[in-house]
């Protein structure tokens, strides 16, 4: 969306852009590996449950905050605080200001490590394209070894990715690209289903499906709730202020609850398909694969064995790269639009300054499997540690504060307006509004707080 604050030309435009930004590495790369770390089916069930009771209410809340203030998260908070400037607990309320700043800082750090993984995707895309076009041999394990041992290669790939994102956002064509990602998504889903069918024909499939879908609650740990909560927010892009920016472009007539429902269900479906594809592949060998490398250790091997594998491989990684690109654009655009609105930066300057900051921040995760491989924090490599810190701690806290802002600082009249019937959609909006407020008040905060407390216990138990 351009410099002036317009609204989405069509409803489809909003969906394509919102789904284009929500759908990304979180669905295909991160979801399977955290499911694997948390014992499979029970975690999947927990995740799906949380999408509905936490994810959707908060997604709707962020969209409403954006639409009522017509601003990105930093200015949106200023605006709602302005309305409460004479309230008796003003000094407590004004601390909410930190939410805006915190969300944008989260975007910056997440973009930095997201760019590193996007670089990994580019690596496989290049390797498989070379195998397809110039017949260079492709060996999945060798490719991964090359990547992990060669930190500077990761730095190079990361900078290529960041440069692409910077150029797109600086030229102000991101809406077009995000829409393109949205259009590409059905193609990706078809490809995923095709590959999943292939994967289901493997001998390991029954065991893999049992692991992925059969809920064995005894395999959950104290940290599982926090991991599931964090992942729901990450995959739906909640707590970053991105959906606030998107909401600010929604027309007054858009029926927000349905928008939230559609984005959340589409996103979850894709994650489930990714799991069905990946688990049979992961369980082929004797030693189970896990951790951030899981996707890259398993799926490329499939392309080595099936007919026309390299062609499918290139297709898969092109789609995955576009998904990573759409999400990265969403992250940088959120940082840039907030910097412009609240700090008065010009667009191009904001893009280069934040892109440059991301690059510097990305050096550490990019070098974490080579130069800094000795760095371990709490038994984890640096990349995993950073991922956990941001997603299992930072996002739940940001989401918790967001829920309070929406509940207590956005007026009831403004909230109700988002649930009003319009001529196109007929719903019993009173009832839905009641459920939504109930979820925000009685489910979101208690569940997030419980998740945080359990994680603290887990640290002390270690
Ligand atoms: N939701 C994206 C994913 O699942 O990969 C990640 C993301 C994109 C988070 C954009 C936040 C954001 F603003």
């Amino acid at each position: 969306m351009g410099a002036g604050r317009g609204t989405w030309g069509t409803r489809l435009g909003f969906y394509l852009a919102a789904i284009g930004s929500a759908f990304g590495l979180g669905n295909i790369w991160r979801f399977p590996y955290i499911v694997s770390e948390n014992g499979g089916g029970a975690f999947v069930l927990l995740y799906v449950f949380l999408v509905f009771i936490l994810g959707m209410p908060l997604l709707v809340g962020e969209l409403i905050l954006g639409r009522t203030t017509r601003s990105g998260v930093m200015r949106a908070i200023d605006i709602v605080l302005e309305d409460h400037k004479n309230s008796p607990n003003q000094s407590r309320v004004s601390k909410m200001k930190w939410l805006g700043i915190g969300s944008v800082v989260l975007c910056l750090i997440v973009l930095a490590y997201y760019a590193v993984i996007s670089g990994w995707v580019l690596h496989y895309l290049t390797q498989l394209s070379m195998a397809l076009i110039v017949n260079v041999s492709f060996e999945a394990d060798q490719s991964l070894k090359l990547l992990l041992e060669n930190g500077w290669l990761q730095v190079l790939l990361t900078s290529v990715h960041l440069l692409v994102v910077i150029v797109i956002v600086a030229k102000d064509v991101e809406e077009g690209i995000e829409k393109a990602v949205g259009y590409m998504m059905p193609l990706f889903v078809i490809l995923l289903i095709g590959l999943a069918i292939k994967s289901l024909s493997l001998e390991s499939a029954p065991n893999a499906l049992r692991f992925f879908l059969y809920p064995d609650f005894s395999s959950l740990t104290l940290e599982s709730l926090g991991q599931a909560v964090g992942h729901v927010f990450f995959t739906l892009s909640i707590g970053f202020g991105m959906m606030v920016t998107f909401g600010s472009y929604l027309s007054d007539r858009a029926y927000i609850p349905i928008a939230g429902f559609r984005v959340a269900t589409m996103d979850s479906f894709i994650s489930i398909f990714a799991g069905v594809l990946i688990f049979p592949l992961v369980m082929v060998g004797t030693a189970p694969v896990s951790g951030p490398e899981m996707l890259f250790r398993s799926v490329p091997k499939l392309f080595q064995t099936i007919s026309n594998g390299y062609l499918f491989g290139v297709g898969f990684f092109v789609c995955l790269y576009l998904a990573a690109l759409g999400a990265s654009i969403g992250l940088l655009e959120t940082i840039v639009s907030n910097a412009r609105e609240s700090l008065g930066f010009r667009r191009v300057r904001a893009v280069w300054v934040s892109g440059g900051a991301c690059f510097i921040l990305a050096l550490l995760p990019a070098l974490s499997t080579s130069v800094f491989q000795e760095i371990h924090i709490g038994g984890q490599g640096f990349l995993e540690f950073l991922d956990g810190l941001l997603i299992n701690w930072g996002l739940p806290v940001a989401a918790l504060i967001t829920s309070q802002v929406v509940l207590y600082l956005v007026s009831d009249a403004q909230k109700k307006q988002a649930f009003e019937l319009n001529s196109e959609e007929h719903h019993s909006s009173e009832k839905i509004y009641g459920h939504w407020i109930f979820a925000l008040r009685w489910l979101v905060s208690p569940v997030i707080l419980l998740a945080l407390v359990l994680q603290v216990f887990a640290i002390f138990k270690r």
Side-chain angles (χ1 to χ4, degrees), residues 5-23:
R5 191 164 291 275
T7 51
W8 304 102
T10 59
R11 261 199 312 173
L12 186 66
F14 163 76
Y15 282 121
L16 292 177
I19 293 173
S21 300
F23 165 50

PDB file of all heavy atoms in Angstrom, residues 5-23:
ATOM      1  N   ARG A   5      -2.671   6.842   2.998  1.00  0.00           N
ATOM      2  CA  ARG A   5      -3.287   5.666   3.583  1.00  0.00           C
ATOM      3  C   ARG A   5      -4.568   5.329   2.853  1.00  0.00           C
ATOM      4  O   ARG A   5      -5.620   5.858   3.135  1.00  0.00           O
ATOM      5  CB  ARG A   5      -3.534   5.881   5.069  1.00  0.00           C
ATOM      6  CG  ARG A   5      -3.935   4.617   5.778  1.00  0.00           C
ATOM      7  CD  ARG A   5      -3.776   4.792   7.239  1.00  0.00           C
ATOM      8  NE  ARG A   5      -2.374   4.876   7.602  1.00  0.00           N
ATOM      9  CZ  ARG A   5      -1.608   3.816   7.825  1.00  0.00           C
ATOM     10  NH1 ARG A   5      -2.085   2.617   7.709  1.00  0.00           N
ATOM     11  NH2 ARG A   5      -0.347   3.975   8.167  1.00  0.00           N
ATOM     12  N   GLY A   6      -4.461   4.494   1.847  1.00  0.00           N
ATOM     13  CA  GLY A   6      -5.637   4.088   1.093  1.00  0.00           C
ATOM     14  C   GLY A   6      -6.275   2.905   1.773  1.00  0.00           C
ATOM     15  O   GLY A   6      -5.963   2.582   2.913  1.00  0.00           O
ATOM     16  N   THR A   7      -7.212   2.265   1.082  1.00  0.00           N
ATOM     17  CA  THR A   7      -7.723   0.993   1.592  1.00  0.00           C
ATOM     18  C   THR A   7      -7.514  -0.036   0.497  1.00  0.00           C
ATOM     19  O   THR A   7      -7.230   0.302  -0.650  1.00  0.00           O
ATOM     20  CB  THR A   7      -9.222   1.082   1.930  1.00  0.00           C
ATOM     21  OG1 THR A   7      -9.890   1.622   0.804  1.00  0.00           O
ATOM     22  CG2 THR A   7      -9.472   1.932   3.148  1.00  0.00           C
ATOM     23  N   TRP A   8      -7.635  -1.319   0.880  1.00  0.00           N
ATOM     24  CA  TRP A   8      -7.457  -2.369  -0.116  1.00  0.00           C
ATOM     25  C   TRP A   8      -8.477  -2.172  -1.226  1.00  0.00           C
ATOM     26  O   TRP A   8      -9.650  -1.945  -0.955  1.00  0.00           O
ATOM     27  CB  TRP A   8      -7.664  -3.749   0.500  1.00  0.00           C
ATOM     28  CG  TRP A   8      -6.786  -4.007   1.675  1.00  0.00           C
ATOM     29  CD1 TRP A   8      -7.143  -3.946   2.982  1.00  0.00           C
ATOM     30  CD2 TRP A   8      -5.407  -4.352   1.659  1.00  0.00           C
ATOM     31  NE1 TRP A   8      -6.072  -4.241   3.778  1.00  0.00           N
ATOM     32  CE2 TRP A   8      -4.996  -4.484   3.005  1.00  0.00           C
ATOM     33  CE3 TRP A   8      -4.463  -4.556   0.641  1.00  0.00           C
ATOM     34  CZ2 TRP A   8      -3.687  -4.833   3.350  1.00  0.00           C
ATOM     35  CZ3 TRP A   8      -3.173  -4.895   0.995  1.00  0.00           C
ATOM     36  CH2 TRP A   8      -2.796  -5.030   2.321  1.00  0.00           C
ATOM     37  N   GLY A   9      -7.992  -2.298  -2.477  1.00  0.00           N
ATOM     38  CA  GLY A   9      -8.883  -2.123  -3.620  1.00  0.00           C
ATOM     39  C   GLY A   9     -10.028  -3.130  -3.571  1.00  0.00           C
ATOM     40  O   GLY A   9     -11.180  -2.806  -3.784  1.00  0.00           O
ATOM     41  N   THR A  10      -9.701  -4.383  -3.262  1.00  0.00           N
ATOM     42  CA  THR A  10     -10.739  -5.409  -3.211  1.00  0.00           C
ATOM     43  C   THR A  10     -10.526  -6.229  -1.949  1.00  0.00           C
ATOM     44  O   THR A  10      -9.459  -6.193  -1.357  1.00  0.00           O
ATOM     45  CB  THR A  10     -10.603  -6.389  -4.394  1.00  0.00           C
ATOM     46  OG1 THR A  10      -9.306  -6.983  -4.295  1.00  0.00           O
ATOM     47  CG2 THR A  10     -10.766  -5.699  -5.720  1.00  0.00           C
ATOM     48  N   ARG A  11     -11.577  -7.004  -1.595  1.00  0.00           N
ATOM     49  CA  ARG A  11     -11.422  -7.880  -0.439  1.00  0.00           C
ATOM     50  C   ARG A  11     -10.350  -8.922  -0.714  1.00  0.00           C
ATOM     51  O   ARG A  11      -9.562  -9.270   0.140  1.00  0.00           O
ATOM     52  CB  ARG A  11     -12.753  -8.574  -0.161  1.00  0.00           C
ATOM     53  CG  ARG A  11     -13.505  -7.885   0.939  1.00  0.00           C
ATOM     54  CD  ARG A  11     -14.535  -8.769   1.506  1.00  0.00           C
ATOM     55  NE  ARG A  11     -15.332  -9.388   0.441  1.00  0.00           N
ATOM     56  CZ  ARG A  11     -16.219 -10.322   0.666  1.00  0.00           C
ATOM     57  NH1 ARG A  11     -16.425 -10.731   1.887  1.00  0.00           N
ATOM     58  NH2 ARG A  11     -16.922 -10.841  -0.312  1.00  0.00           N
ATOM     59  N   LEU A  12     -10.330  -9.384  -1.960  1.00  0.00           N
ATOM     60  CA  LEU A  12      -9.360 -10.399  -2.329  1.00  0.00           C
ATOM     61  C   LEU A  12      -7.944  -9.863  -2.118  1.00  0.00           C
ATOM     62  O   LEU A  12      -7.055 -10.568  -1.644  1.00  0.00           O
ATOM     63  CB  LEU A  12      -9.571 -10.800  -3.786  1.00  0.00           C
ATOM     64  CG  LEU A  12      -8.704 -11.956  -4.252  1.00  0.00           C
ATOM     65  CD1 LEU A  12      -9.100 -13.231  -3.525  1.00  0.00           C
ATOM     66  CD2 LEU A  12      -8.820 -12.163  -5.760  1.00  0.00           C
ATOM     67  N   GLY A  13      -7.762  -8.581  -2.446  1.00  0.00           N
ATOM     68  CA  GLY A  13      -6.443  -7.962  -2.282  1.00  0.00           C
ATOM     69  C   GLY A  13      -5.961  -8.079  -0.851  1.00  0.00           C
ATOM     70  O   GLY A  13      -4.815  -8.448  -0.588  1.00  0.00           O
ATOM     71  N   PHE A  14      -6.861  -7.828   0.089  1.00  0.00           N
ATOM     72  CA  PHE A  14      -6.483  -7.934   1.498  1.00  0.00           C
ATOM     73  C   PHE A  14      -6.091  -9.369   1.844  1.00  0.00           C
ATOM     74  O   PHE A  14      -5.060  -9.628   2.446  1.00  0.00           O
ATOM     75  CB  PHE A  14      -7.633  -7.473   2.408  1.00  0.00           C
ATOM     76  CG  PHE A  14      -7.472  -7.937   3.824  1.00  0.00           C
ATOM     77  CD1 PHE A  14      -6.573  -7.315   4.669  1.00  0.00           C
ATOM     78  CD2 PHE A  14      -8.203  -9.020   4.302  1.00  0.00           C
ATOM     79  CE1 PHE A  14      -6.395  -7.770   5.969  1.00  0.00           C
ATOM     80  CE2 PHE A  14      -8.025  -9.474   5.599  1.00  0.00           C
ATOM     81  CZ  PHE A  14      -7.123  -8.844   6.439  1.00  0.00           C
ATOM     82  N   TYR A  15      -6.946 -10.325   1.436  1.00  0.00           N
ATOM     83  CA  TYR A  15      -6.665 -11.713   1.788  1.00  0.00           C
ATOM     84  C   TYR A  15      -5.336 -12.180   1.218  1.00  0.00           C
ATOM     85  O   TYR A  15      -4.541 -12.822   1.883  1.00  0.00           O
ATOM     86  CB  TYR A  15      -7.779 -12.640   1.288  1.00  0.00           C
ATOM     87  CG  TYR A  15      -8.975 -12.570   2.177  1.00  0.00           C
ATOM     88  CD1 TYR A  15     -10.212 -12.185   1.687  1.00  0.00           C
ATOM     89  CD2 TYR A  15      -8.867 -12.869   3.524  1.00  0.00           C
ATOM     90  CE1 TYR A  15     -11.310 -12.096   2.513  1.00  0.00           C
ATOM     91  CE2 TYR A  15      -9.955 -12.784   4.361  1.00  0.00           C
ATOM     92  CZ  TYR A  15     -11.169 -12.397   3.853  1.00  0.00           C
ATOM     93  OH  TYR A  15     -12.241 -12.304   4.683  1.00  0.00           O
ATOM     94  N   LEU A  16      -5.127 -11.825  -0.058  1.00  0.00           N
ATOM     95  CA  LEU A  16      -3.897 -12.301  -0.689  1.00  0.00           C
ATOM     96  C   LEU A  16      -2.683 -11.740   0.033  1.00  0.00           C
ATOM     97  O   LEU A  16      -1.717 -12.443   0.300  1.00  0.00           O
ATOM     98  CB  LEU A  16      -3.880 -11.909  -2.171  1.00  0.00           C
ATOM     99  CG  LEU A  16      -4.914 -12.636  -3.025  1.00  0.00           C
ATOM    100  CD1 LEU A  16      -4.875 -12.131  -4.461  1.00  0.00           C
ATOM    101  CD2 LEU A  16      -4.662 -14.138  -3.003  1.00  0.00           C
ATOM    102  N   ALA A  17      -2.755 -10.449   0.376  1.00  0.00           N
ATOM    103  CA  ALA A  17      -1.606  -9.844   1.039  1.00  0.00           C
ATOM    104  C   ALA A  17      -1.461 -10.374   2.465  1.00  0.00           C
ATOM    105  O   ALA A  17      -0.354 -10.696   2.907  1.00  0.00           O
ATOM    106  CB  ALA A  17      -1.735  -8.333   1.030  1.00  0.00           C
ATOM    107  N   ALA A  18      -2.577 -10.498   3.191  1.00  0.00           N
ATOM    108  CA  ALA A  18      -2.480 -10.960   4.587  1.00  0.00           C
ATOM    109  C   ALA A  18      -1.998 -12.402   4.642  1.00  0.00           C
ATOM    110  O   ALA A  18      -1.120 -12.751   5.437  1.00  0.00           O
ATOM    111  CB  ALA A  18      -3.831 -10.823   5.281  1.00  0.00           C
ATOM    112  N   ILE A  19      -2.551 -13.237   3.778  1.00  0.00           N
ATOM    113  CA  ILE A  19      -2.127 -14.642   3.788  1.00  0.00           C
ATOM    114  C   ILE A  19      -0.695 -14.737   3.263  1.00  0.00           C
ATOM    115  O   ILE A  19       0.129 -15.477   3.793  1.00  0.00           O
ATOM    116  CB  ILE A  19      -3.109 -15.519   2.980  1.00  0.00           C
ATOM    117  CG1 ILE A  19      -4.454 -15.540   3.707  1.00  0.00           C
ATOM    118  CG2 ILE A  19      -2.584 -16.932   2.822  1.00  0.00           C
ATOM    119  CD1 ILE A  19      -5.565 -16.217   2.977  1.00  0.00           C
ATOM    120  N   GLY A  20      -0.386 -13.911   2.244  1.00  0.00           N
ATOM    121  CA  GLY A  20       0.982 -13.894   1.712  1.00  0.00           C
ATOM    122  C   GLY A  20       1.997 -13.579   2.797  1.00  0.00           C
ATOM    123  O   GLY A  20       3.108 -14.091   2.791  1.00  0.00           O
ATOM    124  N   SER A  21       1.625 -12.745   3.753  1.00  0.00           N
ATOM    125  CA  SER A  21       2.581 -12.396   4.811  1.00  0.00           C
ATOM    126  C   SER A  21       2.551 -13.375   5.971  1.00  0.00           C
ATOM    127  O   SER A  21       3.559 -13.593   6.633  1.00  0.00           O
ATOM    128  CB  SER A  21       2.279 -11.011   5.371  1.00  0.00           C
ATOM    129  OG  SER A  21       2.372 -10.086   4.355  1.00  0.00           O
ATOM    130  N   ALA A  22       1.389 -13.959   6.246  1.00  0.00           N
ATOM    131  CA  ALA A  22       1.315 -14.885   7.383  1.00  0.00           C
ATOM    132  C   ALA A  22       1.958 -16.221   7.027  1.00  0.00           C
ATOM    133  O   ALA A  22       2.613 -16.863   7.846  1.00  0.00           O
ATOM    134  CB  ALA A  22      -0.134 -15.108   7.792  1.00  0.00           C
ATOM    135  N   PHE A  23       1.768 -16.610   5.777  1.00  0.00           N
ATOM    136  CA  PHE A  23       2.255 -17.902   5.318  1.00  0.00           C
ATOM    137  C   PHE A  23       3.753 -17.781   5.030  1.00  0.00           C
ATOM    138  O   PHE A  23       4.177 -16.882   4.332  1.00  0.00           O
ATOM    139  CB  PHE A  23       1.455 -18.228   4.057  1.00  0.00           C
ATOM    140  CG  PHE A  23       2.003 -19.317   3.219  1.00  0.00           C
ATOM    141  CD1 PHE A  23       2.337 -20.528   3.789  1.00  0.00           C
ATOM    142  CD2 PHE A  23       2.176 -19.151   1.856  1.00  0.00           C
ATOM    143  CE1 PHE A  23       2.830 -21.548   3.001  1.00  0.00           C
ATOM    144  CE2 PHE A  23       2.659 -20.170   1.066  1.00  0.00           C
ATOM    145  CZ  PHE A  23       2.993 -21.361   1.644  1.00  0.00           C
TER     146      PHE A  23
END
